[in-house]
Amino acid sequence: MTIGVALPSGDTANAVNIVDELITQTRQAADAGLTSVWFSQQMEHDAITVAALAGRAVPGITVGTGVVPIYPRHPLLITGLAQTAQAATGGRFVLGLGTGAKNWLEPAYGIEYPSPIKHLRECLTILREVLGGGEVDFHGETVRAHAKGFAASLTVAGSSDIPLIVAAMGRQALRVTGELADGTIPFLAGPKALSELIVPEITKAAAGRPAPRIIAMVPVVVTDDPDAIRATVDKQYAFFRDIPSYRAVFDAQGVDSAGALVIAGDEETVAAEIQRYFDAGATEVVATQSGIRTGEERIRTWHVLGDLAKRWPATPRMS
């Protein structure tokens, strides 16, 4: 069983230099025994760039993006960035992508938000062709890419195969992801949503291909005040209730808000709850928001998770 963490995790507001801080925290994660660090993409720092820098600075740890929206980035731009990160880290980079949320991204960028499932399929098709070492001549309904017969190569020297993961939670997105990507990295999808919706749907779509990775991202905090943590998550992530894909996994789990999905409490409580995700079919768990209240709780949580990762078997138990 592999356990990673997501950054930023809630305690970087006072950082003098965010890149330095995230590299420091990546080193702390590795020292705690964690195997991967995933960087989220918001509107400020660039997640792929930070992943490349952190992976280069901290040998051995896997770094990934969790996740970069494909809108409004062109897939050719993403392939160049991803291959550069893979070369910089010596093959320890994972490209995590998502469709993004229309009600947030469209007003910010002022560009019409395309049909998300169609755009996902078309972007993944281009990404697969280029990352597979080929040229591309693709004319879709939402995106076009013509890079055929160019004097310059699309391949970055030093890069190798890049795992391609998508934050897919809805049935249509899961089908596309199962066909064209290497797995899914859902956020706030509980064990029931995993076992009854996400795992069966993507596994069926991936028939004939390698078994998909199921990387469950969930808020995890080892704390003496779990109710306060849940209330904080509820407040900060109330907007997820209005995003259809998150509403679907909330309904599948039988909850109404992000706070109900938080894993918070003492070491035994956290271990038992994380086990439920592996039993539901997760191949990996990524702890998010561990520092949502204090840096001390983040460090405490990471050491508990690192100990669990060392103690548990390498493969999940399926119930």
PDB file of all heavy atoms in Angstrom, residues 57-83:
ATOM      1  N   ALA A  57      15.084  18.205  -6.111  1.00  0.00           N
ATOM      2  CA  ALA A  57      15.736  18.537  -4.843  1.00  0.00           C
ATOM      3  C   ALA A  57      15.673  17.402  -3.828  1.00  0.00           C
ATOM      4  O   ALA A  57      16.512  17.333  -2.923  1.00  0.00           O
ATOM      5  CB  ALA A  57      15.090  19.791  -4.250  1.00  0.00           C
ATOM      6  N   VAL A  58      14.671  16.519  -3.973  1.00  0.00           N
ATOM      7  CA  VAL A  58      14.465  15.446  -2.993  1.00  0.00           C
ATOM      8  C   VAL A  58      14.531  14.102  -3.729  1.00  0.00           C
ATOM      9  O   VAL A  58      13.512  13.611  -4.222  1.00  0.00           O
ATOM     10  CB  VAL A  58      13.121  15.601  -2.252  1.00  0.00           C
ATOM     11  CG1 VAL A  58      12.988  14.552  -1.161  1.00  0.00           C
ATOM     12  CG2 VAL A  58      12.971  17.002  -1.682  1.00  0.00           C
ATOM     13  N   PRO A  59      15.689  13.507  -3.820  1.00  0.00           N
ATOM     14  CA  PRO A  59      15.837  12.250  -4.565  1.00  0.00           C
ATOM     15  C   PRO A  59      14.974  11.137  -3.979  1.00  0.00           C
ATOM     16  O   PRO A  59      14.800  11.032  -2.771  1.00  0.00           O
ATOM     17  CB  PRO A  59      17.328  11.928  -4.408  1.00  0.00           C
ATOM     18  CG  PRO A  59      17.984  13.237  -4.095  1.00  0.00           C
ATOM     19  CD  PRO A  59      16.963  13.988  -3.274  1.00  0.00           C
ATOM     20  N   GLY A  60      14.430  10.318  -4.875  1.00  0.00           N
ATOM     21  CA  GLY A  60      13.718   9.118  -4.448  1.00  0.00           C
ATOM     22  C   GLY A  60      12.219   9.247  -4.361  1.00  0.00           C
ATOM     23  O   GLY A  60      11.504   8.273  -4.567  1.00  0.00           O
ATOM     24  N   ILE A  61      11.710  10.425  -4.059  1.00  0.00           N
ATOM     25  CA  ILE A  61      10.272  10.559  -3.874  1.00  0.00           C
ATOM     26  C   ILE A  61       9.586  10.802  -5.216  1.00  0.00           C
ATOM     27  O   ILE A  61      10.114  11.489  -6.099  1.00  0.00           O
ATOM     28  CB  ILE A  61       9.931  11.681  -2.873  1.00  0.00           C
ATOM     29  CG1 ILE A  61       8.486  11.517  -2.372  1.00  0.00           C
ATOM     30  CG2 ILE A  61      10.143  13.074  -3.481  1.00  0.00           C
ATOM     31  CD1 ILE A  61       8.200  12.305  -1.099  1.00  0.00           C
ATOM     32  N   THR A  62       8.426  10.201  -5.403  1.00  0.00           N
ATOM     33  CA  THR A  62       7.621  10.440  -6.593  1.00  0.00           C
ATOM     34  C   THR A  62       6.887  11.771  -6.443  1.00  0.00           C
ATOM     35  O   THR A  62       6.369  12.079  -5.368  1.00  0.00           O
ATOM     36  CB  THR A  62       6.596   9.313  -6.788  1.00  0.00           C
ATOM     37  OG1 THR A  62       7.294   8.087  -7.040  1.00  0.00           O
ATOM     38  CG2 THR A  62       5.660   9.598  -7.951  1.00  0.00           C
ATOM     39  N   VAL A  63       6.844  12.556  -7.516  1.00  0.00           N
ATOM     40  CA  VAL A  63       6.120  13.825  -7.488  1.00  0.00           C
ATOM     41  C   VAL A  63       5.094  13.822  -8.613  1.00  0.00           C
ATOM     42  O   VAL A  63       5.316  13.247  -9.675  1.00  0.00           O
ATOM     43  CB  VAL A  63       7.062  15.028  -7.633  1.00  0.00           C
ATOM     44  CG1 VAL A  63       7.950  15.178  -6.407  1.00  0.00           C
ATOM     45  CG2 VAL A  63       7.918  14.926  -8.894  1.00  0.00           C
ATOM     46  N   GLY A  64       3.955  14.449  -8.351  1.00  0.00           N
ATOM     47  CA  GLY A  64       2.913  14.501  -9.360  1.00  0.00           C
ATOM     48  C   GLY A  64       2.067  15.750  -9.204  1.00  0.00           C
ATOM     49  O   GLY A  64       2.244  16.523  -8.260  1.00  0.00           O
ATOM     50  N   THR A  65       1.163  15.940 -10.136  1.00  0.00           N
ATOM     51  CA  THR A  65       0.221  17.057 -10.049  1.00  0.00           C
ATOM     52  C   THR A  65      -1.148  16.509  -9.711  1.00  0.00           C
ATOM     53  O   THR A  65      -1.589  15.525 -10.291  1.00  0.00           O
ATOM     54  CB  THR A  65       0.163  17.847 -11.365  1.00  0.00           C
ATOM     55  OG1 THR A  65      -0.120  16.968 -12.458  1.00  0.00           O
ATOM     56  CG2 THR A  65       1.480  18.554 -11.610  1.00  0.00           C
ATOM     57  N   GLY A  66      -1.785  17.163  -8.770  1.00  0.00           N
ATOM     58  CA  GLY A  66      -3.084  16.681  -8.320  1.00  0.00           C
ATOM     59  C   GLY A  66      -4.090  17.807  -8.121  1.00  0.00           C
ATOM     60  O   GLY A  66      -4.382  18.088  -6.986  1.00  0.00           O
ATOM     61  N   VAL A  67      -4.603  18.427  -9.180  1.00  0.00           N
ATOM     62  CA  VAL A  67      -4.346  18.158 -10.596  1.00  0.00           C
ATOM     63  C   VAL A  67      -4.253  19.490 -11.351  1.00  0.00           C
ATOM     64  O   VAL A  67      -4.652  20.530 -10.835  1.00  0.00           O
ATOM     65  CB  VAL A  67      -5.463  17.301 -11.254  1.00  0.00           C
ATOM     66  CG1 VAL A  67      -5.499  15.909 -10.668  1.00  0.00           C
ATOM     67  CG2 VAL A  67      -6.841  17.987 -11.131  1.00  0.00           C
ATOM     68  N   VAL A  68      -3.764  19.401 -12.618  1.00  0.00           N
ATOM     69  CA  VAL A  68      -3.725  20.560 -13.507  1.00  0.00           C
ATOM     70  C   VAL A  68      -4.946  20.528 -14.428  1.00  0.00           C
ATOM     71  O   VAL A  68      -5.150  19.531 -15.128  1.00  0.00           O
ATOM     72  CB  VAL A  68      -2.440  20.553 -14.357  1.00  0.00           C
ATOM     73  CG1 VAL A  68      -2.485  21.630 -15.429  1.00  0.00           C
ATOM     74  CG2 VAL A  68      -1.217  20.744 -13.466  1.00  0.00           C
ATOM     75  N   PRO A  69      -5.770  21.578 -14.452  1.00  0.00           N
ATOM     76  CA  PRO A  69      -6.912  21.603 -15.373  1.00  0.00           C
ATOM     77  C   PRO A  69      -6.439  21.659 -16.828  1.00  0.00           C
ATOM     78  O   PRO A  69      -5.500  22.398 -17.150  1.00  0.00           O
ATOM     79  CB  PRO A  69      -7.656  22.889 -14.998  1.00  0.00           C
ATOM     80  CG  PRO A  69      -7.198  23.220 -13.616  1.00  0.00           C
ATOM     81  CD  PRO A  69      -5.776  22.750 -13.552  1.00  0.00           C
ATOM     82  N   ILE A  70      -7.065  20.889 -17.695  1.00  0.00           N
ATOM     83  CA  ILE A  70      -6.718  20.929 -19.116  1.00  0.00           C
ATOM     84  C   ILE A  70      -7.244  22.202 -19.770  1.00  0.00           C
ATOM     85  O   ILE A  70      -6.729  22.619 -20.809  1.00  0.00           O
ATOM     86  CB  ILE A  70      -7.234  19.686 -19.861  1.00  0.00           C
ATOM     87  CG1 ILE A  70      -8.733  19.493 -19.625  1.00  0.00           C
ATOM     88  CG2 ILE A  70      -6.460  18.448 -19.441  1.00  0.00           C
ATOM     89  CD1 ILE A  70      -9.338  18.331 -20.417  1.00  0.00           C
ATOM     90  N   TYR A  71      -8.247  22.816 -19.204  1.00  0.00           N
ATOM     91  CA  TYR A  71      -8.733  24.114 -19.674  1.00  0.00           C
ATOM     92  C   TYR A  71      -8.033  25.196 -18.882  1.00  0.00           C
ATOM     93  O   TYR A  71      -7.957  25.113 -17.647  1.00  0.00           O
ATOM     94  CB  TYR A  71     -10.249  24.202 -19.460  1.00  0.00           C
ATOM     95  CG  TYR A  71     -10.812  25.616 -19.536  1.00  0.00           C
ATOM     96  CD1 TYR A  71     -11.345  26.090 -20.734  1.00  0.00           C
ATOM     97  CD2 TYR A  71     -10.800  26.458 -18.430  1.00  0.00           C
ATOM     98  CE1 TYR A  71     -11.861  27.384 -20.794  1.00  0.00           C
ATOM     99  CE2 TYR A  71     -11.310  27.738 -18.496  1.00  0.00           C
ATOM    100  CZ  TYR A  71     -11.838  28.205 -19.675  1.00  0.00           C
ATOM    101  OH  TYR A  71     -12.332  29.473 -19.755  1.00  0.00           O
ATOM    102  N   PRO A  72      -7.468  26.241 -19.498  1.00  0.00           N
ATOM    103  CA  PRO A  72      -7.420  26.491 -20.939  1.00  0.00           C
ATOM    104  C   PRO A  72      -6.061  26.160 -21.551  1.00  0.00           C
ATOM    105  O   PRO A  72      -5.713  26.708 -22.589  1.00  0.00           O
ATOM    106  CB  PRO A  72      -7.683  27.993 -20.991  1.00  0.00           C
ATOM    107  CG  PRO A  72      -6.944  28.526 -19.801  1.00  0.00           C
ATOM    108  CD  PRO A  72      -7.033  27.442 -18.743  1.00  0.00           C
ATOM    109  N   ARG A  73      -5.272  25.264 -20.945  1.00  0.00           N
ATOM    110  CA  ARG A  73      -3.946  24.928 -21.471  1.00  0.00           C
ATOM    111  C   ARG A  73      -4.051  24.020 -22.695  1.00  0.00           C
ATOM    112  O   ARG A  73      -4.794  23.038 -22.685  1.00  0.00           O
ATOM    113  CB  ARG A  73      -3.107  24.239 -20.403  1.00  0.00           C
ATOM    114  CG  ARG A  73      -2.818  25.079 -19.170  1.00  0.00           C
ATOM    115  CD  ARG A  73      -1.827  24.377 -18.269  1.00  0.00           C
ATOM    116  NE  ARG A  73      -1.530  25.159 -17.070  1.00  0.00           N
ATOM    117  CZ  ARG A  73      -0.490  24.944 -16.274  1.00  0.00           C
ATOM    118  NH1 ARG A  73       0.345  23.959 -16.540  1.00  0.00           N
ATOM    119  NH2 ARG A  73      -0.275  25.687 -15.213  1.00  0.00           N
ATOM    120  N   HIS A  74      -3.276  24.321 -23.699  1.00  0.00           N
ATOM    121  CA  HIS A  74      -3.244  23.460 -24.874  1.00  0.00           C
ATOM    122  C   HIS A  74      -2.459  22.199 -24.544  1.00  0.00           C
ATOM    123  O   HIS A  74      -1.439  22.252 -23.851  1.00  0.00           O
ATOM    124  CB  HIS A  74      -2.588  24.195 -26.048  1.00  0.00           C
ATOM    125  CG  HIS A  74      -2.797  23.514 -27.364  1.00  0.00           C
ATOM    126  ND1 HIS A  74      -2.042  22.430 -27.759  1.00  0.00           N
ATOM    127  CD2 HIS A  74      -3.691  23.749 -28.361  1.00  0.00           C
ATOM    128  CE1 HIS A  74      -2.455  22.024 -28.950  1.00  0.00           C
ATOM    129  NE2 HIS A  74      -3.450  22.814 -29.344  1.00  0.00           N
ATOM    130  N   PRO A  75      -2.889  21.036 -25.033  1.00  0.00           N
ATOM    131  CA  PRO A  75      -2.190  19.791 -24.702  1.00  0.00           C
ATOM    132  C   PRO A  75      -0.729  19.754 -25.146  1.00  0.00           C
ATOM    133  O   PRO A  75       0.090  19.084 -24.504  1.00  0.00           O
ATOM    134  CB  PRO A  75      -3.028  18.705 -25.390  1.00  0.00           C
ATOM    135  CG  PRO A  75      -3.940  19.423 -26.325  1.00  0.00           C
ATOM    136  CD  PRO A  75      -4.149  20.773 -25.766  1.00  0.00           C
ATOM    137  N   LEU A  76      -0.365  20.458 -26.213  1.00  0.00           N
ATOM    138  CA  LEU A  76       1.039  20.489 -26.613  1.00  0.00           C
ATOM    139  C   LEU A  76       1.889  21.222 -25.583  1.00  0.00           C
ATOM    140  O   LEU A  76       3.039  20.859 -25.333  1.00  0.00           O
ATOM    141  CB  LEU A  76       1.202  21.137 -27.992  1.00  0.00           C
ATOM    142  CG  LEU A  76       0.714  20.317 -29.189  1.00  0.00           C
ATOM    143  CD1 LEU A  76       0.994  21.064 -30.488  1.00  0.00           C
ATOM    144  CD2 LEU A  76       1.363  18.936 -29.228  1.00  0.00           C
ATOM    145  N   LEU A  77       1.326  22.254 -24.976  1.00  0.00           N
ATOM    146  CA  LEU A  77       2.028  22.950 -23.901  1.00  0.00           C
ATOM    147  C   LEU A  77       2.201  22.017 -22.702  1.00  0.00           C
ATOM    148  O   LEU A  77       3.282  21.944 -22.098  1.00  0.00           O
ATOM    149  CB  LEU A  77       1.247  24.198 -23.486  1.00  0.00           C
ATOM    150  CG  LEU A  77       1.732  24.938 -22.242  1.00  0.00           C
ATOM    151  CD1 LEU A  77       3.145  25.464 -22.451  1.00  0.00           C
ATOM    152  CD2 LEU A  77       0.779  26.065 -21.878  1.00  0.00           C
ATOM    153  N   ILE A  78       1.153  21.274 -22.373  1.00  0.00           N
ATOM    154  CA  ILE A  78       1.217  20.350 -21.238  1.00  0.00           C
ATOM    155  C   ILE A  78       2.260  19.266 -21.482  1.00  0.00           C
ATOM    156  O   ILE A  78       3.017  18.906 -20.571  1.00  0.00           O
ATOM    157  CB  ILE A  78      -0.168  19.725 -20.979  1.00  0.00           C
ATOM    158  CG1 ILE A  78      -1.170  20.805 -20.540  1.00  0.00           C
ATOM    159  CG2 ILE A  78      -0.077  18.633 -19.920  1.00  0.00           C
ATOM    160  CD1 ILE A  78      -2.599  20.311 -20.404  1.00  0.00           C
ATOM    161  N   THR A  79       2.342  18.738 -22.706  1.00  0.00           N
ATOM    162  CA  THR A  79       3.312  17.671 -22.974  1.00  0.00           C
ATOM    163  C   THR A  79       4.741  18.162 -22.801  1.00  0.00           C
ATOM    164  O   THR A  79       5.597  17.446 -22.281  1.00  0.00           O
ATOM    165  CB  THR A  79       3.149  17.086 -24.389  1.00  0.00           C
ATOM    166  OG1 THR A  79       3.350  18.114 -25.363  1.00  0.00           O
ATOM    167  CG2 THR A  79       1.775  16.461 -24.572  1.00  0.00           C
ATOM    168  N   GLY A  80       5.013  19.385 -23.227  1.00  0.00           N
ATOM    169  CA  GLY A  80       6.361  19.928 -23.064  1.00  0.00           C
ATOM    170  C   GLY A  80       6.720  20.114 -21.603  1.00  0.00           C
ATOM    171  O   GLY A  80       7.830  19.774 -21.166  1.00  0.00           O
ATOM    172  N   LEU A  81       5.781  20.645 -20.823  1.00  0.00           N
ATOM    173  CA  LEU A  81       6.012  20.844 -19.392  1.00  0.00           C
ATOM    174  C   LEU A  81       6.203  19.499 -18.679  1.00  0.00           C
ATOM    175  O   LEU A  81       7.099  19.343 -17.851  1.00  0.00           O
ATOM    176  CB  LEU A  81       4.825  21.594 -18.776  1.00  0.00           C
ATOM    177  CG  LEU A  81       4.669  23.065 -19.149  1.00  0.00           C
ATOM    178  CD1 LEU A  81       3.293  23.568 -18.732  1.00  0.00           C
ATOM    179  CD2 LEU A  81       5.755  23.903 -18.488  1.00  0.00           C
ATOM    180  N   ALA A  82       5.338  18.549 -19.005  1.00  0.00           N
ATOM    181  CA  ALA A  82       5.403  17.239 -18.333  1.00  0.00           C
ATOM    182  C   ALA A  82       6.696  16.506 -18.653  1.00  0.00           C
ATOM    183  O   ALA A  82       7.323  15.904 -17.766  1.00  0.00           O
ATOM    184  CB  ALA A  82       4.197  16.396 -18.737  1.00  0.00           C
ATOM    185  N   GLN A  83       7.115  16.534 -19.903  1.00  0.00           N
ATOM    186  CA  GLN A  83       8.364  15.860 -20.268  1.00  0.00           C
ATOM    187  C   GLN A  83       9.577  16.534 -19.618  1.00  0.00           C
ATOM    188  O   GLN A  83      10.539  15.868 -19.229  1.00  0.00           O
ATOM    189  CB  GLN A  83       8.532  15.850 -21.783  1.00  0.00           C
ATOM    190  CG  GLN A  83       7.561  14.914 -22.493  1.00  0.00           C
ATOM    191  CD  GLN A  83       7.811  14.887 -23.983  1.00  0.00           C
ATOM    192  OE1 GLN A  83       8.651  14.133 -24.476  1.00  0.00           O
ATOM    193  NE2 GLN A  83       7.093  15.735 -24.712  1.00  0.00           N
TER     194      GLN A  83
END
